[in-house]
Amino acid sequence: MKLPAPVMLGKSRIEALSDGVFSITMTLLVLKLEVPEVMHHSSNEEMLHQLLAIGPEFATYVVTFLIAGGFWFLHHLTFHFIRQVNGMLVWINLLFLMMVALLPFSAGLMSHLLIHPVSQLFYYGNQLAIAVLLNVHWFYAKSMDVLESSDRRQIRRLTIRIAVTAAVFPACLITAVFLPAWSWMPLPVFLVGGAVFESR
Amino acid sequence: MKLPAPVMLGKSRIEALSDGVFSITMTLLVLKLEVPEVMHHSSNEEMLHQLLAIGPEFATYVVTFLIAGGFWFLHHLTFHFIRQVNGMLVWINLLFLMMVALLPFSAGLMSHLLIHPVSQLFYYGNQLAIAVLLNVHWFYAKSMDVLESSDRRQIRRLTIRIAVTAAVFPACLITAVFLPAWSWMPLPVFLVGGAVFESR
Amino acid sequence: MKLPAPVMLGKSRIEALSDGVFSITMTLLVLKLEVPEVMHHSSNEEMLHQLLAIGPEFATYVVTFLIAGGFWFLHHLTFHFIRQVNGMLVWINLLFLMMVALLPFSAGLMSHLLIHPVSQLFYYGNQLAIAVLLNVHWFYAKSMDVLESSDRRQIRRLTIRIAVTAAVFPACLITAVFLPAWSWMPLPVFLVGGAVFESR
Amino acid sequence: MKLPAPVMLGKSRIEALSDGVFSITMTLLVLKLEVPEVMHHSSNEEMLHQLLAIGPEFATYVVTFLIAGGFWFLHHLTFHFIRQVNGMLVWINLLFLMMVALLPFSAGLMSHLLIHPVSQLFYYGNQLAIAVLLNVHWFYAKSMDVLESSDRRQIRRLTIRIAVTAAVFPACLITAVFLPAWSWMPLPVFLVGGAVFESR
């Protein structure tokens, strides 16, 4: 018995699952921020000192939230052009979401051991895996011939943005090996560059 | 190569991400309520005493849930009028959601140290940041010329409501400095005022 | 200045927020189930003994999940008939969702102190509050004249079901006072009755 | 009084609740991965050693995420063909989601006691319950005569895939009794077989 070709599916449910995984991941990041154990009668100075002590965790929360938001936005843009999905594209997206859901763990590792090489390699490695799978997703989608055909220049622009995303995290990884304390630098450079690129 | 103008996107996915972040944040608030450690053979009086001891946490849960619900409603109302989004509006919304997702942390700080000035400043500061970003979101959306044009008076009314939201939290902050135990007062005043305003 | 009447809003976003709060609440219930601390070399009998020890928590999980599912279904049915919402209906729904989001706390209290009167009163009181707010929601929606008008008999049927829901939890509360160990009884009676009612 | 037949409901909200429960369950799995407690001054070797020590938990995360993703995909495919739902189908889906929401507990049991027979029986038993309820859901949906009628061969193909899912977990269970260390084997066999089946 020859079975029929796989069905083409609407995109609304993979979008809904993605929005769910992204919103939960981004909200769970804050659970890593532990409320400092202080007393009612502690002075304002002690209290501020305690809050400043969780500064690295707070910075990790902000940076990871914004990176995750950026990935969500690029993923959203790809589905602006994709009209339909098949089984293979669903599985690529599930692997992508599996790496996204790992972010609270990587962020926890990062914020507890801020300048430790191994935690940095794990953190940026997780981000790189997300970026690579986003590229795989987008190249496969383009090869499937299910895109809106009207916007060739917009599609080329998005391809560049997604490819650049996969370049920033190797830059972080290399910096982490040689200058652990400065490994964050490629991120603001990329964010500012992206904003300039966006506003052109 | 001159790149094309940024794409205008449908609003459904930023709405879905927002609904996700709000629903998770509001549900996670309850995880801060710790089930009291009592024994099977403890008396009803001991048990009630334990439940009353978490009264401040319970009050913080109720108040924060309702404030978050109010922000969600105002955000919902803005998207009633917004027809399309662009990249800048998405990023303003991601910053807004980052501050919303911080609420379980701020609420935890508040309920453990109820009348401590620093925890109050952090809590109302978080709410103020949400309110300010909601105003930025709404002013940017109005400037983009993507609103439904039919309802000018409704839009003006919503502008007033969103602006007033950004005024209640400075009132709480100022009260927290001088009368920490009464810093909640502007909230019921505002809620009752809002209800009266709504029913006109 | 006389302000315009409140806007009528689409129902999709309050549905999305409700689906979010319900799905998170129902999934968080399982976090109350603690993985027993046993050793790799413990015997199968010891292991089974440990699993049986969390039986009461497991039963609470199943019962609370199904009750929450029932509330979600009734809430879903009301929105099958409601065409539009206004500000008041949104706020009634936010109060309803606040009580739904409290279920993991109530379930935790219940499962740690299974036959303790105070925990039972709290648990069924929470369920009763949800049921009462669902009735308020439905009566307000009917009074707003925003229902699909075609299905008068279906609407009357739904009204009966929602009213009966508010009756089962007082039955549990009364049983909890006199026969704590049998306070669950009204639930299966109601569930079986509901299934019979449904299949007519 | 003879009551009317149960209403037929749109499928969008049970889909939204399902996407919510699946995305939360899949994201909560990662919370079982505990960030290792190491010091800032610990060597890279100690750090890597700590990360390798949570290898079994990591493997359980990856495997459970992919199995859950597979169940989500099959559930999604059934709703591709289902046009409407009734009360019975909603309740079958709630039982299905209750078993899905139990996965973080089963995965926690599995990863702490990797080769222990009882934890394996519980884990695969949970997966089997999900698979059985998915079959019940699909057989009931087919019997309701609410499917898109155009794609008979696609529907037969999906029936086979869902039935096979219910066969792989008994295979794991039997392997777990005789060769606990190899009980995972039926999963990659099934996954590769499924991929081959898909690409035909």
Side-chain angles (χ1 to χ4, degrees):
Chain A
M1 186 182 77
K2 177 71 180 66
L3 282 163
V7 276
M8 294 305 291
L9 297 159
K11 65 183 179 181
S12 62
R13 286 199 65 191
I14 188 73
E15 286 182 323
L17 191 79
S18 305
D19 290 339
V21 169
F22 269 103
S23 55
I24 298 153
T25 299
M26 288 155 83
T27 315
L28 286 183
L29 289 173
V30 86
L31 288 191
K32 298 288 172 190
L33 298 178
E34 273 162 59
V35 176
E37 289 294 331
V38 285
M39 310 298 173
H40 272 260
H41 54 270
S42 60
S43 70
N44 287 351
E45 273 172 44
E46 284 169 321
M47 183 81 190
L48 278 169
H49 187 74
Q50 292 272 6
L51 278 175
L52 289 175
I54 61 166
E57 296 176 33
F58 201 84
T60 305
Y61 166 65
V62 170
V63 169
T64 313
F65 194 102
L66 292 177
I67 293 174
F71 279 125
W72 174 83
F73 186 36
L74 289 173
H75 187 253
H76 175 359
L77 284 170
T78 64
F79 273 103
H80 180 71
F81 296 107
I82 296 169
R83 273 175 295 138
Q84 281 185 301
V85 300
N86 67 3
M88 178 62 92
L89 198 65
V90 166
W91 279 105
I92 293 170
N93 272 272
L94 287 171
L95 289 173
F96 171 74
L97 295 176
M98 188 172 80
M99 286 298 155
V100 171
L102 196 58
L103 282 176
F105 175 76
S106 301
L109 206 62
M110 186 69 161
S111 63
H112 279 103
L113 297 151
L114 200 59
I115 317 187
H116 199 288
V118 170
S119 64
Q120 293 205 342
L121 295 184
F122 198 96
Y123 181 80
Y124 296 121
N126 188 355
Q127 306 278 22
L128 180 58
I130 297 170
V132 166
L133 284 161
L134 185 62
N135 275 280
V136 171
H137 155 76
W138 182 232
F139 277 96
Y140 182 77
K142 285 196 295 183
S143 75
M144 264 169 69
D145 199 26
V146 290
L147 301 191
E148 306 281 346
S149 55
S150 54
D151 280 320
R152 291 193 158 275
R153 291 176 69 204
Q154 292 284 9
I155 287 170
R156 199 167 54 215
R157 184 186 193 180
L158 182 55
T159 304
I160 295 167
R161 289 170 80 176
I162 290 173
V164 170
T165 310
V168 69
F169 296 108
C172 292
L173 280 167
I174 292 166
T175 317
V177 173
F178 295 104
L179 293 164
W182 294 90
S183 69
W184 304 64
M185 276 314 286
L187 291 167
V189 170
F190 169 80
L191 280 168
V192 170
V196 170
F197 184 76
E198 192 129 319
S199 63
R200 285 210 304 189
Chain B
M1 187 182 78
K2 177 76 180 65
L3 283 163
V7 278
M8 294 305 291
L9 298 159
K11 65 183 180 182
S12 63
R13 286 200 64 191
I14 188 72
E15 286 182 323
L17 190 78
S18 305
D19 290 339
V21 169
F22 269 104
S23 56
I24 299 154
T25 299
M26 289 155 84
T27 315
L28 286 183
L29 289 173
V30 86
L31 289 191
K32 298 289 172 187
L33 297 179
E34 273 163 57
V35 176
E37 289 293 332
V38 285
M39 309 298 172
H40 273 262
H41 54 267
S42 60
S43 70
N44 287 352
E45 273 172 44
E46 285 170 320
M47 183 81 190
L48 278 169
H49 188 74
Q50 292 272 6
L51 277 175
L52 288 175
I54 61 166
E57 297 176 31
F58 200 84
T60 305
Y61 166 65
V62 170
V63 170
T64 313
F65 194 101
L66 292 177
I67 293 174
F71 279 125
W72 174 82
F73 185 37
L74 289 174
H75 187 254
H76 175 0
L77 283 171
T78 65
F79 273 103
H80 180 70
F81 297 107
I82 295 170
R83 274 175 294 137
Q84 282 185 299
V85 300
N86 66 5
M88 177 62 92
L89 198 65
V90 166
W91 279 106
I92 293 170
N93 272 272
L94 286 171
L95 289 172
F96 171 75
L97 295 176
M98 187 171 79
M99 286 298 155
V100 171
L102 197 57
L103 282 175
F105 176 78
S106 301
L109 206 61
M110 186 69 160
S111 63
H112 279 104
L113 296 151
L114 201 57
I115 317 187
H116 199 288
V118 171
S119 64
Q120 293 204 344
L121 295 185
F122 197 97
Y123 181 79
Y124 295 122
N126 188 356
Q127 306 278 22
L128 179 59
I130 297 170
V132 166
L133 283 162
L134 185 61
N135 275 281
V136 171
H137 155 76
W138 182 231
F139 278 96
Y140 182 78
K142 286 196 292 183
S143 75
M144 263 169 69
D145 198 28
V146 291
L147 301 190
E148 306 281 349
S149 56
S150 54
D151 280 320
R152 292 194 157 274
R153 289 177 70 204
Q154 292 285 8
I155 287 170
R156 199 167 53 217
R157 184 186 194 180
L158 182 55
T159 303
I160 294 167
R161 291 169 79 176
I162 290 174
V164 170
T165 310
V168 70
F169 296 107
C172 292
L173 279 167
I174 291 166
T175 317
V177 173
F178 296 105
L179 293 165
W182 294 90
S183 69
W184 305 64
M185 276 315 286
L187 291 166
V189 170
F190 170 79
L191 279 168
V192 170
V196 170
F197 185 76
E198 193 128 321
S199 64
R200 286 211 300 191
Chain C
M1 186 181 76
K2 177 79 177 67
L3 282 164
V7 277
M8 294 305 290
L9 296 159
K11 65 182 178 181
S12 63
R13 285 201 64 192
I14 188 73
E15 286 183 323
L17 191 79
S18 305
D19 290 338
V21 169
F22 269 104
S23 54
I24 299 154
T25 299
M26 289 156 84
T27 315
L28 285 183
L29 289 172
V30 86
L31 289 191
K32 299 288 174 189
L33 297 178
E34 273 163 60
V35 176
E37 289 294 330
V38 285
M39 310 297 171
H40 273 262
H41 54 269
S42 60
S43 70
N44 288 350
E45 272 172 45
E46 284 169 321
M47 183 83 190
L48 278 169
H49 187 75
Q50 291 273 5
L51 278 175
L52 288 175
I54 61 167
E57 297 175 32
F58 201 84
T60 305
Y61 166 66
V62 170
V63 170
T64 313
F65 194 101
L66 292 176
I67 293 174
F71 279 125
W72 174 82
F73 185 37
L74 290 173
H75 187 253
H76 175 2
L77 283 170
T78 65
F79 273 104
H80 180 70
F81 296 107
I82 295 170
R83 273 175 295 137
Q84 282 185 300
V85 300
N86 67 4
M88 178 63 92
L89 198 66
V90 166
W91 280 106
I92 294 170
N93 272 272
L94 286 171
L95 289 172
F96 171 73
L97 294 176
M98 188 172 79
M99 286 298 156
V100 171
L102 196 58
L103 281 175
F105 175 78
S106 301
L109 205 62
M110 185 70 161
S111 63
H112 279 104
L113 296 151
L114 202 57
I115 316 186
H116 199 289
V118 171
S119 64
Q120 293 204 344
L121 295 185
F122 197 96
Y123 180 80
Y124 296 122
N126 187 357
Q127 307 277 22
L128 180 58
I130 297 170
V132 167
L133 283 162
L134 185 62
N135 275 280
V136 170
H137 155 78
W138 182 233
F139 278 95
Y140 182 77
K142 285 196 294 184
S143 76
M144 263 170 69
D145 199 27
V146 291
L147 301 190
E148 306 281 348
S149 56
S150 53
D151 281 319
R152 291 193 157 275
R153 291 177 69 203
Q154 292 285 9
I155 287 169
R156 198 166 54 216
R157 184 185 194 181
L158 182 55
T159 303
I160 295 167
R161 290 169 79 176
I162 290 174
V164 170
T165 310
V168 70
F169 296 107
C172 291
L173 279 167
I174 291 165
T175 318
V177 173
F178 296 104
L179 292 165
W182 294 90
S183 68
W184 305 64
M185 276 315 285
L187 291 166
V189 170
F190 170 79
L191 279 169
V192 170
V196 170
F197 184 75
E198 192 127 322
S199 64
R200 285 211 302 191
Chain D
M1 186 182 76
K2 178 77 178 67
L3 282 164
V7 277
M8 294 305 291
L9 297 159
K11 65 182 178 180
S12 63
R13 285 199 66 190
I14 188 71
E15 286 183 323
L17 190 79
S18 305
D19 291 338
V21 169
F22 269 103
S23 54
I24 299 154
T25 299
M26 288 156 84
T27 315
L28 286 182
L29 289 173
V30 87
L31 288 191
K32 298 290 174 189
L33 297 179
E34 273 163 59
V35 175
E37 288 294 330
V38 285
M39 309 299 172
H40 274 261
H41 54 269
S42 60
S43 69
N44 287 350
E45 272 172 44
E46 284 169 321
M47 184 81 191
L48 279 169
H49 188 74
Q50 291 273 5
L51 278 175
L52 289 174
I54 61 167
E57 296 175 33
F58 201 84
T60 305
Y61 166 65
V62 169
V63 169
T64 313
F65 194 102
L66 292 176
I67 293 173
F71 280 124
W72 174 82
F73 185 38
L74 290 173
H75 187 253
H76 175 0
L77 284 170
T78 65
F79 273 103
H80 180 71
F81 296 107
I82 295 169
R83 273 175 295 137
Q84 283 185 299
V85 301
N86 66 5
M88 178 60 94
L89 198 65
V90 166
W91 279 106
I92 294 170
N93 272 273
L94 286 171
L95 290 172
F96 171 74
L97 294 177
M98 188 172 79
M99 285 298 156
V100 171
L102 196 58
L103 282 176
F105 175 77
S106 302
L109 206 62
M110 185 69 159
S111 63
H112 279 104
L113 297 152
L114 201 57
I115 316 186
H116 199 289
V118 171
S119 63
Q120 294 204 344
L121 295 184
F122 197 97
Y123 181 80
Y124 296 121
N126 187 356
Q127 306 277 21
L128 179 58
I130 297 170
V132 167
L133 283 162
L134 185 62
N135 275 280
V136 171
H137 155 77
W138 182 233
F139 277 96
Y140 181 78
K142 285 195 293 184
S143 76
M144 264 169 68
D145 199 28
V146 290
L147 301 191
E148 305 281 348
S149 56
S150 53
D151 280 319
R152 291 194 157 274
R153 291 176 69 205
Q154 291 285 10
I155 286 169
R156 198 166 55 215
R157 185 185 192 182
L158 182 55
T159 304
I160 295 168
R161 289 169 80 177
I162 290 174
V164 170
T165 310
V168 69
F169 296 108
C172 292
L173 280 167
I174 292 165
T175 318
V177 173
F178 296 105
L179 292 164
W182 293 89
S183 69
W184 304 65
M185 276 316 285
L187 291 167
V189 171
F190 170 79
L191 279 169
V192 170
V196 170
F197 184 76
E198 191 127 322
S199 63
R200 285 210 304 189

